């Protein structure tokens, strides 16, 4: 990347521009490259934020791979960030300069049930993302950063942590102490689910293809560990661990290759939260089993600004620290994407702005 594009105000000769990253089309996909954008100014109900850090999600890879609709070439990517308020719109009274804030994933989904109209407000998709020096956000979309977290940790919360939070606490059957929870993998959503589950007093089973990652999950407090490469029929192992009862909560992240096994080891009255498609396609499971179990299937698409507020209060109560695997600099953004795509990460990948 060209270093002069990362001058704090764009180029040395033009202080109306700022550094950012934009998506450039190469082949069938989009590649993050150094770019410039005009320095934004907040409207009457908006806030200007100086970005401290952003974090990557699997969605960002799907966008780069051309498997996520509605994203134009030239878009500034990423949805998750944390920073400091620099300027306020004329009608904003709930925030002050210097406040530490983070925006919700869907800027327009403030509370209540999800509506189709909220979809385009997700940053980094159909609307501009946050991988820039400064961004403008609606004041209503912002949530304060917990005092005990730095900006890099806070930048991991709006998507992955809220997804796990909504799946476990905001839907039909909230997680309770004594439940058994199954999480697939050791990425951002999975590890937040592990941490939230442990704080709630649940027994957590973790699936991974890496013994080293499973040992790290054990050190965090995981109750059950299964290497699904060594134990292909991991649903049978889950039933063995739970003495035939199955698990009350499953965060289904795999898609077609895992969904039926999740159903096989779900407890009576249990709940599957459908979140991810890591295997690349939708499942065609035996939904008759879901009925026989009197169980629930919940589709989870991140969450609202209110969900992020609820999450922050819970994190503060339990002093939960997000797990960050690696921190990259803004001029290392391509390496950050590649590292996430490699699957080597344990927890979140952060880009420091």
């Amino acid at each position: 990347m060209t270093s002069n594009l990362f001058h704090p105000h764009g180029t040395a000769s033009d202080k109306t521009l700022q550094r950012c990253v934009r998506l450039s089309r190469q082949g069938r996909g989009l590649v993050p490259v150094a770019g410039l954008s005009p320095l934004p100014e907040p409207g009457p109900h908006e806030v200007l934020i100086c970005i401290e850090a952003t974090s990557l999600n699997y969605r960002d890879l799907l966008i780069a791979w051309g498997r996520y609709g509605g994203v134009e070439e030239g878009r500034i990517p990423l949805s998750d960030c944390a920073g400091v308020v620099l300027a306020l719109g004329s009608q904003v009274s709930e925030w002050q300069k210097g406040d530490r804030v983070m925006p919700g994933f869907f800027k327009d989904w403030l509370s209540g049930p999800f509506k189709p109209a909220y979809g385009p407000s997700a940053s980094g998709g159909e609307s501009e993302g946050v991988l820039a020096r400064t961004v403008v956000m609606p004041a209503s979309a912002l949530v304060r950063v917990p005092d005990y977290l730095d900006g890099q940790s806070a930048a991991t919360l709006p998507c992955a942590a809220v997804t796990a939070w909504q799946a476990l606490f905001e839907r039909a059957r909230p997680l309770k102490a004594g439940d058994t929870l199954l999480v697939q993998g050791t990425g951002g959503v999975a590890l937040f689910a592990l941490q939230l589950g442990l704080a709630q007093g649940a027994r957590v089973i973790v699936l991974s293809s890496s013994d080293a990652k499973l040992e790290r999950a054990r050190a965090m407090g995981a109750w059950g560990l299964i290497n699904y490469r060594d134990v292909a029929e991991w649903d049978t192992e889950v039933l063995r661990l739970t003495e035939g009862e199955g698990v009350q909560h499953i965060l289904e992240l795999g898609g077609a290759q895992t969904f039926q096994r999740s159903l096989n080891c779900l407890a009576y009255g249990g709940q599957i939260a459908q979140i991810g498609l890591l295997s690349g396609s939708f499942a065609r499971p035996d939904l008759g089993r879901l009925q026989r179990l009197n169980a629930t299937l919940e589709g989870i698409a991140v969450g609202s600004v209110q969900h992020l507020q609820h999450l922050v209060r819970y994190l503060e109560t339990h002093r939960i620290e997000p797990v960050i695997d690696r921190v990259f600099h803004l001029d290392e953004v391509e390496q950050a994407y590649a590292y996430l795509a490699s699957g080597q990460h344990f927890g979140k990948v952060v880009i420091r702005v």
Side-chain angles (χ1 to χ4, degrees):
M1 295 185 179
T2 307
S3 60
N4 67 342
L5 293 183
F6 288 102
H7 186 276
H9 297 289
T11 67
S13 60
D14 188 350
K15 295 187 177 182
T16 67
L17 298 175
Q18 65 171 348
R19 61 181 182 171
C20 69
V21 169
R22 294 192 180 276
L23 296 174
S24 175
R25 188 164 301 282
Q26 294 187 17
R28 296 184 178 180
L30 295 165
V31 176
V33 298
L36 297 171
S37 65
L39 284 168
E41 295 184 6
H45 300 280
E46 294 178 326
V47 171
L48 178 67
I49 304 167
C50 178
I51 301 301
E52 181 177 348
T54 66
S55 72
L56 282 163
N57 296 291
Y58 188 68
R59 167 184 182 255
D60 303 308
L61 294 182
L62 295 178
I63 290 172
W65 294 337
R67 289 159 50 187
Y68 193 100
V71 182
E72 301 174 353
E73 184 176 18
R75 171 77 70 234
I76 295 175
L78 305 195
S79 58
D80 291 14
C81 69
V84 177
V85 173
L86 288 182
L88 306 170
S90 60
Q91 302 300 309
V92 176
S93 59
E94 62 267 44
W95 300 106
Q96 298 180 359
K97 292 181 181 180
D99 285 345
R100 301 171 64 235
V101 296
M102 51 190 169
F105 181 86
F106 295 102
K107 295 184 288 290
D108 293 345
W109 186 11
L110 304 184
S111 62
F114 183 78
K115 297 179 181 179
Y118 300 151
S121 72
S123 298
E126 294 182 53
S127 65
E128 205 74 291
V130 299
L131 195 48
R133 182 66 179 270
T134 64
V135 299
V136 163
M137 287 287 170
S140 58
L142 301 179
V143 175
R144 65 178 179 84
V145 170
D147 291 339
Y148 75 100
L149 293 182
D150 62 21
Q152 294 179 14
S153 293
T156 69
L157 301 179
C159 181
V162 170
T163 298
W165 172 263
Q166 188 194 175
L168 296 177
F169 295 102
E170 300 280 356
R171 300 303 285 268
R173 188 189 188 283
L175 183 74
K176 64 180 187 300
D179 284 350
T180 304
L181 163 66
L182 173 67
V183 298
Q184 298 170 351
T186 55
V189 175
L191 288 190
F192 277 120
L194 170 61
Q195 292 176 296
L196 294 170
L198 293 173
Q200 193 69 4
R203 303 187 304 180
V204 185
I205 300 173
V206 176
L207 299 181
S208 175
S209 61
S210 165
D211 286 336
K213 290 181 179 180
L214 287 172
E215 284 304 313
R216 293 181 68 179
R218 185 200 302 275
M220 291 176 64
W223 173 75
L225 307 167
I226 304 174
N227 187 318
Y228 62 81
R229 292 199 188 279
D230 297 338
V231 184
E233 297 181 351
W234 52 262
D235 48 337
T236 301
E237 179 64 10
V238 170
L239 290 173
R240 186 192 69 80
L241 287 172
T242 58
E243 299 180 339
E245 180 182 2
V247 295
Q248 286 74 37
H249 279 267
I250 298 176
L251 265 64
E252 173 52 53
L253 298 166
Q257 294 182 16
T258 57
F259 198 104
Q260 186 59 54
R261 293 195 185 279
S262 291
L263 269 177
N264 293 345
C265 62
L266 185 64
Y268 282 91
Q271 177 172 293
I272 295 178
Q274 172 59 46
I275 295 170
L277 298 170
L278 295 179
S279 64
S281 59
F282 287 99
R284 294 178 174 85
D286 173 18
L287 292 182
R289 177 168 174 78
L290 194 73
Q291 182 180 5
R292 293 190 295 273
L293 290 172
N294 277 280
T296 304
L297 173 61
E298 298 276 0
I300 303 295
V302 194
S304 67
V305 174
Q306 186 178 69
H307 291 154
L308 180 54
Q309 293 169 338
H310 293 171
L311 167 71
V312 165
R313 288 199 292 268
Y314 192 89
L315 295 179
E316 289 178 320
T317 298
H318 297 278
R319 311 303 275 189
I320 295 173
E321 295 275 355
V323 179
I324 295 176
D325 184 293
R326 285 186 63 180
V327 178
F328 293 84
H329 190 266
L330 187 58
D331 58 8
E332 300 173 315
V333 63
E334 292 180 68
Q335 295 95 312
Y337 270 74
Y339 184 68
L340 183 67
S342 74
Q344 300 176 54
H345 59 290
F346 184 89
K348 294 292 292 181
V349 176
V350 169
I351 298 174
R352 181 170 57 86
V353 179

